[in-house]
Amino acid sequence: MHKILENIFGWLYPLLRKMNMGDTLSSYISLVINVILLCVLAYIIYVVFRLVLVTLMVVIAKKTNTHFDDLLVSNKTAKYIAHLIPFLFIYKSVPIILEEYVYWETVFGKLVGIYIILLSLWIVRSVLKAIRDYLKSKPKFSDKPIDSYVQVIMIVLWILATGVIISTIFNIKTNTLLGTLGAISAIIILIFRDTILGFVASVQVSLNDMVRIGDWITFDKFGADGDVIEINLATVKVRNFDNTTTTIPTYSLISDSFRNWRGMLDSDGRRIKRHLLIKAKSIRFLNEEELQKMKKIQLVSHYIDKRQEEITKYNKTYHVDKTLSINGRNMTNFGLFRKYITEYLERHPGVNPNMILLCRQLQPTAYGIPLEIYVFSKDQRFEQYEYLMADIFDHIIASTVYFDLEIFELPTDTISADA
């Protein structure tokens, strides 16, 4: 290669000397013509390689089934390589053209070398971006924080490139430079603290499968409640349900507590856990006449017959005095109401019968007796879930009057006074 370049750029100076031109004049004329020739050749090399590489890459991308080469084309990898080749030609030619001008040879050699390093980084970056886009198109990797890994690789390469550039500019040995960097490692760690923490967090998030792109997370500390749309080295972007975007530091995912709803979405149902407050004074025993009336409610008609038979048998066995309702065993309107709700939920088409289904009484409060519904919907979608929950409680609230129960609510005058 060196001999070829000497033949290209070394013929003019001897020819001018044979024409009896002065040494200085011959040198300057030779320099100018060689620089012009170098620029022309470099441009021709660039045009040829750009045409060949880009065209070849496009043809290959069209003929192959893989999507990766298409991504290389879209990220302009071939174009950047076509830029690099003529600069490698220039880098090799500069020492020959400027052989008599040591200072300028050093300056231009270093400048071209630095540009080659930066251009090489740009080529690597385009390849990494193509790999990132390719992996994101695969279901297995679509929810992984690929951006974080790409950013870490680029940071490491930039650090190495910076070291090489500094060594090139100041003629410092690489070992000496690495030793100096080691001595100031504390400062480097301080400068790149967030980056290092972000990298550690990204690795832990990925290995522990804590968050994926597309997950619905709730992070109260940052006011985030929505779908994860991006995970990179420093931040996690969440698109909230009101279409705003919240940016969360990646490290916060392992240092703070947040809620990931993926388990619910991957399961067979979404939990409904809500209660009503029943006035304690409206709860009472039911007499025979009231039970006969409530037998018209189809969902508890069979239950009333069965329970009446058990209760009657028990009371006769123990000779219970039924002149007072409190004696012996009895049915209450509240207990019958709970049974009615259970039967209603078991038959509801939107409730998953294969998961927990409860209608339970909680610890009494100053505002009444909490009656909690604990079931799972078949459809986890937000709109359908909210519709089902409203539909269930519409029915339950409307049903209380049929069991002579009252729902607690603050008196109107109390609300007005508080307001």
Side-chain angles (χ1 to χ4, degrees):
M1 180 68 179
H2 185 76
K3 291 182 177 180
I4 295 174
L5 293 176
E6 283 185 343
N7 292 331
I8 294 174
F9 299 106
W11 60 273
L12 186 57
Y13 179 76
L15 178 63
L16 294 175
R17 291 292 293 148
K18 287 181 180 180
M19 297 173 62
N20 296 322
M21 289 189 179
D23 184 64
T24 303
L25 182 60
S26 299
S27 177
Y28 282 129
I29 293 174
S30 175
L31 175 63
V32 172
I33 293 176
N34 280 335
V35 169
I36 295 172
L37 180 61
L38 175 65
C39 293
V40 172
L41 291 176
Y43 181 74
I44 292 172
I45 293 172
Y46 165 70
V47 171
V48 171
F49 273 92
R50 179 175 178 178
L51 180 63
V52 171
L53 290 176
V54 173
T55 304
L56 183 63
M57 186 71 74
V58 171
V59 171
I60 294 174
K62 289 181 178 180
K63 290 186 176 182
T64 57
N65 295 325
T66 180
H67 184 56
F68 180 69
D69 43 21
D70 297 306
L71 294 173
L72 288 174
V73 172
S74 63
N75 283 288
K76 302 179 181 179
T77 304
K79 180 181 176 181
Y80 294 137
I81 295 175
H83 274 91
L84 178 63
I85 294 173
F87 274 93
L88 290 174
F89 173 73
I90 293 172
Y91 183 74
K92 290 293 185 179
S93 302
V94 164
I96 297 174
I97 295 175
L98 299 177
E99 184 178 4
E100 301 296 327
Y101 305 90
V102 179
Y103 174 77
W104 292 110
E105 177 190 345
T106 304
V107 171
F108 283 108
K110 289 180 178 180
L111 290 176
V112 174
I114 291 170
Y115 187 80
I116 289 173
I117 293 172
L118 296 177
L119 197 53
S120 300
L121 279 177
W122 219 251
I123 293 171
V124 173
R125 178 175 175 269
S126 68
V127 174
L128 290 175
K129 287 175 67 177
I131 295 173
R132 178 200 64 186
D133 296 339
Y134 178 74
L135 292 177
K136 282 187 174 182
S137 67
K138 299 295 181 181
K140 185 178 179 180
F141 299 98
S142 61
D143 53 2
K144 303 300 181 184
I146 307 298
D147 291 293
S148 299
Y149 301 136
V150 172
Q151 289 174 350
V152 169
I153 293 172
M154 286 307 302
I155 288 173
V156 172
L157 292 177
W158 271 109
I159 292 174
L160 294 175
T162 302
V164 174
I165 290 172
I166 293 173
S167 300
T168 301
I169 294 175
F170 299 103
N171 295 321
I172 302 174
K173 293 183 178 179
T174 305
N175 294 336
T176 304
L177 181 63
L178 292 176
T180 305
L181 291 176
I184 59 173
S185 58
I187 299 175
I188 294 174
I189 292 174
L190 181 63
I191 294 173
F192 293 101
R193 175 181 175 275
D194 292 337
T195 302
I196 295 171
L197 291 177
F199 172 63
V200 173
S202 296
V203 172
Q204 291 192 19
V205 165
S206 179
L207 292 178
N208 298 324
D209 200 20
M210 297 170 63
V211 177
R212 303 174 188 168
I213 294 174
D215 282 356
W216 168 19
I217 67 170
T218 301
F219 211 141
D220 295 330
K221 179 178 178 180
F222 296 96
D225 185 18
D227 298 326
V228 176
I229 58 175
E230 183 180 329
I231 302 175
N232 56 44
L233 192 62
T235 59
V236 174
K237 290 185 180 179
V238 178
R239 183 174 58 238
N240 300 311
F241 294 126
D242 59 359
N243 287 326
T244 60
T245 301
T246 300
T247 301
I248 302 171
T250 306
Y251 187 69
S252 297
L253 295 177
I254 61 173
S255 64
D256 295 308
S257 177
F258 68 97
R259 180 178 296 178
N260 191 330
W261 296 87
R262 187 203 314 157
M264 178 273 295
L265 294 172
D266 291 343
S267 69
D268 295 328
R270 182 173 178 180
R271 187 183 70 175
I272 296 175
K273 184 175 180 288
R274 183 180 287 186
H275 68 266
L276 294 173
L277 291 172
I278 304 297
K279 287 186 179 180
K281 68 177 183 178
S282 68
I283 301 173
R284 58 182 177 79
F285 295 120
L286 295 172
N287 56 40
E288 186 68 25
E289 182 182 348
E290 290 171 325
L291 286 173
Q292 291 300 321
K293 182 180 178 181
M294 288 188 179
K295 282 184 181 180
K296 295 181 180 179
I297 303 174
Q298 293 180 350
L299 291 181
V300 292
S301 177
H302 179 71
Y303 172 78
I304 292 174
D305 288 335
K306 183 179 177 181
R307 288 290 291 164
Q308 271 187 309
E309 183 180 342
E310 293 175 357
I311 290 171
T312 301
K313 182 179 179 180
Y314 175 88
N315 290 337
K316 284 182 179 181
T317 301
Y318 292 96
H319 307 289
V320 175
D321 180 10
K322 292 304 295 178
T323 56
L324 288 177
S325 297
I326 193 174
N327 293 330
R329 298 178 65 182
N330 302 275
M331 278 189 279
T332 65
N333 58 345
F334 195 33
L336 194 58
F337 184 53
R338 287 189 288 108
K339 180 61 178 177
Y340 170 79
I341 294 173
T342 302
E343 295 289 335
Y344 171 75
L345 293 173
E346 287 177 349
R347 289 166 172 77
H348 198 292
V351 174
N352 192 330
N354 299 319
M355 302 184 75
I356 296 176
L357 190 154
L358 289 176
C359 175
R360 61 179 179 171
Q361 182 185 144
L362 301 180
Q363 178 72 26
T365 69
Y367 300 103
I369 313 298
L371 179 66
E372 184 179 78
I373 308 302
Y374 194 106
V375 295
F376 288 81
S377 66
K378 289 182 179 178
D379 197 330
Q380 297 98 329
R381 290 176 297 174
F382 181 74
E383 300 88 344
Q384 300 301 323
Y385 167 80
E386 290 292 336
Y387 175 82
L388 173 63
M389 186 161 52
D391 181 64
I392 289 172
F393 277 87
D394 285 349
H395 185 88
I396 292 173
I397 292 170
S399 301
T400 55
V401 296
Y402 291 90
F403 295 85
D404 293 328
L405 292 169
E406 296 181 36
I407 298 174
F408 175 82
E409 58 183 356
L410 290 174
T412 306
D413 54 349
T414 305
I415 298 174
S416 301
D418 292 340

